[in-house]
Amino acid sequence: MTATSTGTLTDRLDRLPFTRTHLRVLTGSGAGWALDAMDVGLISFVIAALVNEWQLTTAETSWIASAGFAGMAIGATVGGLLADRIGRRSVFALTLLVYGIATGASALAGGLIALIALRFLVGLGLGAELPVASTYVSEFAPARMRGRIIVVLEAFWAVGWTASALIGYLVIPSVPEGWRWALAIGAVPAIYALVVRWGLPESPRWLASRGREADADAVVRGLESSRVVFGRVAPMPAEAPDVVVAPATSVAMRLRGLWAPGVRVRTAALWVVWFCVNFSYYGAFIWIPTLLVSQGFGLVRSFEFTLIITLAQVPGYAVAAWLIEVWGRRATLSVFLAGSAVAAILFGQATSVPMILGTGMALSFFNLGAWGALYAVTPETYPTSLRATGAGWAAGVGRIASILAPPAVPALQAMGGIPAVFVVLSAFFAVAAAATWGLAESRGRSLAE
């Protein structure tokens, strides 16, 4: 490849084509993302199995789900702060290690209390990993293709969720205490953490923000000398960011920086979107297998339906990845959230098998496309010194909603049945779609330093 090594670090990163090093960063982070999704997806199948095996009440099953999300809320906020302090790659590997070991240990849980405690530890690792991974990849990606790359990263979620659906369908009903075998598979991330820690470079933007210019330059030179996968060197630097915030050098400064005059409206809008999307997504997808069982479908049949519905995530990500650089972040996100709202209403009214599958696939398509766009826009909202903090706190606020959603769904179902559940979830999607327009449009803009 022929590339210039002159200009600022930002210009050099934004002018690059997509290289093998970019591909390694994307797939290395994406594999961790897929393993995370597999863990989150598995718990919905585990809950459905434990209802019968342990004779759990709806309140007890909601505690299992909520414990994990409580850990995610803490993990996301603390993980973001740590990533801005000690680096993206180190925190990424540490979080994979924590939740991988805890998931494997969950397979040995002898009772409800032990399982709940271990799910909290799983959540600590999982909650920190997702916003850190999206921040990490976004700091490598050239501006003109950054949104598309982050949606592709988020698309690894569909791979992991599909794997969880396959494990739920093939393993859990097939062997005694199949849920234990399913959770044991979740220990794989503990091994993968070592690959991540030693196999991927640290973010050059973070290195430069910590005064390690020589290390940052070495990483960028590695990108410039890496073989091209597609594209070519851009002739001009990307458009500059539309807001600049003073660099944050302490935890207090990072937290205050989220509410600085230039970004406070965006932070508020981002938190609303994250809260509403988490409530609706986890309210629906954690409970879909159990709700199908409650409608008279057998355990295997409900798992089969969930697997089919899950497969619609892949085209949802594909369409979002294309539109995000054509329409922009806000338009893509709002359209997919509006589509999720409509699909949720229709799914709640579905009674026949074709309707359940069709509307469920539509919900999966629009909801996961929206997630891809949301993960793209979140790290773009903040400068490097508080990017992981901002992404982590937005995710942490969202996890509060994911704590509330599991116990809310049984209560809503008791009051008005499944239609009432999905009317409420649809309303949350609609609020998120409206709040999207308070976000910045960052298509084609360089990341703020």
Side-chain angles (χ1 to χ4, degrees):
M1 144 181 190
T2 300
T4 179
S5 59
T6 62
T8 67
L9 179 141
T10 296
D11 291 345
R12 291 166 65 190
L13 287 169
D14 285 340
R15 295 183 64 191
L16 286 168
F18 189 81
T19 69
R20 282 195 174 183
T21 302
H22 287 111
L23 182 62
R24 189 158 55 91
V25 166
L26 176 60
T27 56
S29 302
W33 202 290
L35 292 168
D36 285 359
M38 185 178 72
D39 179 88
V40 176
L42 278 175
I43 200 62
S44 66
F45 297 98
V46 169
I47 287 173
L50 287 180
V51 167
N52 294 324
E53 189 168 324
W54 286 2
Q55 301 299 305
L56 299 180
T57 66
T58 53
E60 289 171 332
T61 55
S62 67
W63 294 341
I64 296 173
S66 292
F69 294 130
M72 286 183 191
I74 297 172
T77 53
V78 174
L81 288 166
L82 280 176
D84 278 332
R85 182 174 178 82
I86 67 173
R88 283 59 162 127
R89 183 183 64 172
S90 297
V91 174
F92 185 26
L94 177 63
T95 57
L96 284 167
L97 189 64
V98 168
Y99 100 80
I101 293 173
T103 298
S106 298
L108 305 175
L112 179 64
I113 301 302
L115 183 58
I116 289 173
L118 287 166
R119 290 308 301 173
F120 177 79
L121 294 177
V122 169
L124 285 177
L126 179 58
E129 193 276 329
L130 296 180
V132 172
S134 61
T135 298
Y136 174 71
V137 176
S138 71
E139 290 182 343
F140 279 90
R144 64 192 182 283
M145 61 181 82
R146 186 176 58 243
R148 192 161 291 163
I149 289 172
I150 298 303
V151 177
V152 172
L153 170 68
E154 166 62 2
F156 279 88
W157 185 270
V159 176
W161 200 277
T162 302
S164 74
L166 286 170
I167 294 168
Y169 178 60
L170 297 174
V171 176
I172 293 179
S174 303
V175 297
E177 295 190 310
W179 64 271
R180 294 187 186 274
W181 290 100
L183 288 177
I185 296 171
V188 171
I191 301 170
Y192 180 73
L194 298 177
V195 178
V196 173
R197 178 64 180 87
W198 300 111
L200 298 178
E202 181 55 90
S203 163
R205 295 180 189 269
W206 179 81
L207 290 169
S209 75
R210 305 297 291 184
R212 295 168 59 181
E213 287 85 0
D215 292 334
D217 180 70
V219 174
V220 177
R221 286 182 181 274
L223 286 163
E224 291 170 337
S225 62
S226 183
R227 184 173 296 180
V228 175
V229 175
F230 65 83
R232 56 186 178 181
V233 177
M236 295 292 291
E239 185 178 354
D242 64 344
V243 64
V244 177
V245 179
T249 57
S250 67
V251 171
M253 288 181 67
R254 291 186 187 103
L255 295 178
R256 287 198 302 268
L258 301 183
W259 299 98
V263 296
R264 62 178 54 151
V265 172
R266 300 174 186 185
T267 295
L270 195 62
W271 286 18
V272 170
V273 176
W274 270 90
F275 186 92
C276 292
V277 172
N278 270 270
F279 189 94
S280 297
Y281 175 77
Y282 288 107
F285 284 90
I286 287 294
W287 283 106
I288 279 178
T290 304
L291 292 174
L292 290 173
V293 170
S294 73
Q295 287 185 292
F297 297 100
L299 192 66
V300 174
R301 187 72 163 157
S302 70
F303 286 3
E304 179 184 344
F305 287 177
T306 304
L307 173 59
I308 294 170
I309 289 170
T310 298
L311 292 175
Q313 295 181 7
V314 177
Y317 284 125
V319 174
W322 175 63
L323 289 177
I324 200 165
E325 300 293 4
V326 177
W327 288 357
R329 279 59 162 155
R330 287 184 302 192
T332 301
L333 180 55
S334 63
V335 167
F336 273 81
L337 287 171
S340 300
V342 174
I345 290 285
L346 295 175
F347 183 78
Q349 303 295 324
T351 53
S352 66
V353 170
M355 282 289 290
I356 289 172
L357 292 178
T359 57
M361 291 176 73
L363 179 59
S364 189
F365 174 92
F366 283 110
N367 197 181
L368 276 297
W371 270 117
L374 181 57
Y375 269 106
V377 75
T378 298
E380 295 176 342
T381 303
Y382 303 104
T384 300
S385 62
L386 52 84
R387 184 168 294 123
T389 298
W393 276 74
V397 169
R399 299 310 176 190
I400 295 172
S402 62
I403 296 168
L404 300 175
V409 168
L412 291 168
Q413 187 180 8
M415 289 188 294
I418 291 177
V421 171
F422 284 90
V423 166
V424 173
L425 298 182
S426 176
F428 275 85
F429 279 130
V431 172
T436 295
W437 294 97
L439 302 175
E441 179 51 66
S442 46
R443 178 180 57 163
R445 293 184 181 274
S446 179
L447 288 176
E449 300 301 330

